Structure formats: C-alpha cells, structure tokens
Amino acid sequence: MSSASAEIGRRAEQAAAQHLLEAGLSLLARNYSCRLGELDLVMQDSNQLVFVEVRYRGNNQFGSPLESITPTKQRKLRAAANVYLKQLSKQPSARFDAVGVSPSSKAGQEFNIVWCKNAF
C-alpha cells in the first residue's frame, strides 16, 4: 500500500471513529491485531461490545465500501474478535458493525459515511 493510500485509509478510519463517538459509542481499541487478523475499531455501545470494520472506496465502480466485506473477511474478523473476547474477564454481548467511507461530493465535507449496525 502506498503512503498516500495509507494516509487516506487512516483519515477514513478516523472519520468513522469520530462519527461513532458523536453517536454515543466509546472507543476501547484501535487497530487491535492478533495472529488471526485485525479489528479496525473496538467500541462500547451501552452494555454491548462493538467490533467495527471500516472500509474506504474511492468510487463505487466495483461496489460500495460495505459490499467489499467478503465472507472470508467476515471469518477473519470473527476469529480476531474471539481472541479479543478471550482476554476479557467477563463475556459481554457483542456485535459486528461496518462503516463504509467514500469521498464526499458536498463542499465542506471530506467523506460520506454509512454506518451499518449488526452488519454480519
């Protein structure tokens, strides 16, 4: 991944995190990594743990950002989430959300954000 692509990805992930924080969620971890995969954001929504996959697409030519979360990627996210959960003393209720980020065509807005709760 080029440094320009990495920077866009970092900014998109930050915009997604900010959107969720403004919606009332609390950030617990960012880029949690284990041998089975990576979780972009781990957040708390009331009594529920939320594992968030953030996807950026520069255009929708090959589908939306949310459509890019394949069954294989979902399996990797579940595996990484299980590792995260095993580290906790208490097993909270959990869900997987997805946030699609794309460039905004509106002046003054950098990104369009689509948040899908219970995505898979």
Side-chain angles (χ1 to χ4, degrees):
M1 179 184 296
S2 73
S3 62
S5 294
E7 177 61 20
I8 291 170
R10 187 195 63 71
R11 288 188 7 247
E13 190 173 286
Q14 178 58 37
Q18 187 61 40
H19 181 81
L20 297 175
L21 289 168
E22 289 171 4
L25 280 70
S26 302
L27 182 63
L28 301 177
R30 179 174 282 175
N31 302 118
Y32 170 82
S33 185
C34 67
R35 65 181 179 84
L36 299 176
E38 180 181 306
L39 302 168
D40 292 333
L41 303 170
V42 180
M43 303 193 84
Q44 186 83 30
D45 186 9
S46 298
N47 295 331
Q48 195 168 46
L49 198 59
V50 183
F51 299 105
V52 182
E53 176 66 6
V54 179
R55 286 298 180 122
Y56 174 82
R57 283 260 170 110
N59 64 59
N60 289 336
Q61 181 178 357
F62 299 106
S64 74
L66 297 178
E67 291 173 317
S68 72
I69 305 172
T70 64
T72 299
K73 180 62 175 177
Q74 291 174 28
R75 281 192 297 277
K76 288 180 181 181
L77 293 168
R78 285 186 185 102
N82 281 330
V83 171
Y84 185 91
L85 287 168
K86 286 178 182 175
Q87 296 175 2
L88 303 177
S89 58
K90 216 168 95 175
Q91 296 298 305
S93 162
R95 72 174 194 248
F96 289 89
D97 288 4
V99 176
V101 182
S102 57
S104 177
S105 59
K106 296 178 185 175
Q109 284 188 314
E110 191 170 7
F111 297 113
N112 286 323
I113 296 176
V114 176
W115 175 21
C116 181
K117 291 183 180 180
N118 291 308
F120 52 92

